[in-house]
Amino acid sequence: MKLYNKIINWLKKLFELEKYDFSRVIFDKEVIDAILELAQMTSPKEFIAFLEGKQRKKILRIYGLAYQEYFANEHSTLAKINFPLTSSIVGSVHSHPGPSNKPSRADLHFFSKRGMIHLIIKKPYTEKDIQGYDTRGNKIEFEVV
Ligand SMILES: [Zn+2]
């Protein structure tokens, strides 16, 4: 039995199934505020930042934002950007300087590479303009505390 569990755990790690196993996503208010500010500041350019968080039991909590300035424009391909190699990075956020927060093909490709949650914020960059997605591009709801 022990060996069986070991094998299961090993397989889970191998396919990284474990990390998608959360039922709630909670953002610290400061993170959301920082996202709104960055989106407004960088507009009409896109910005991208990485979400720092931790999963405990079934709750994924996002408590930080890792932001690197980069040369962005409306045609930038997010897929070209690699995740920082920090273990606390659980996803990304980027802005669309337009009326849609739906992921583009390049976005979906990027989402599938790593992370647990990805946000897109559209104009006019209020909290309601933020949409969360999982690695497959399905919508994810989140709470703000
Ligand atoms: Zn995009």
Side-chain angles (χ1 to χ4, degrees), residues 12-13 37 80 82 87 94 104 121 125 133 137 143:
K12 269 187 184 170
K13 275 200 183 114
E37 206 179 310
K80 282 180 195 157
N82 290 312
S87 60
H94 76 277
S104 67
I121 179 170
Y125 313 124
Y133 297 96
E143 300 158 56

Side-chain angles (χ1 to χ4, degrees), residues 46 76 78 94-96 102-104 106-107 111 120:
E46 270 188 29
S76 65
L78 289 175
H94 76 277
S95 63
H96 281 177
K102 290 205 178 84
S104 67
D107 289 342
F111 291 177
I120 300 178

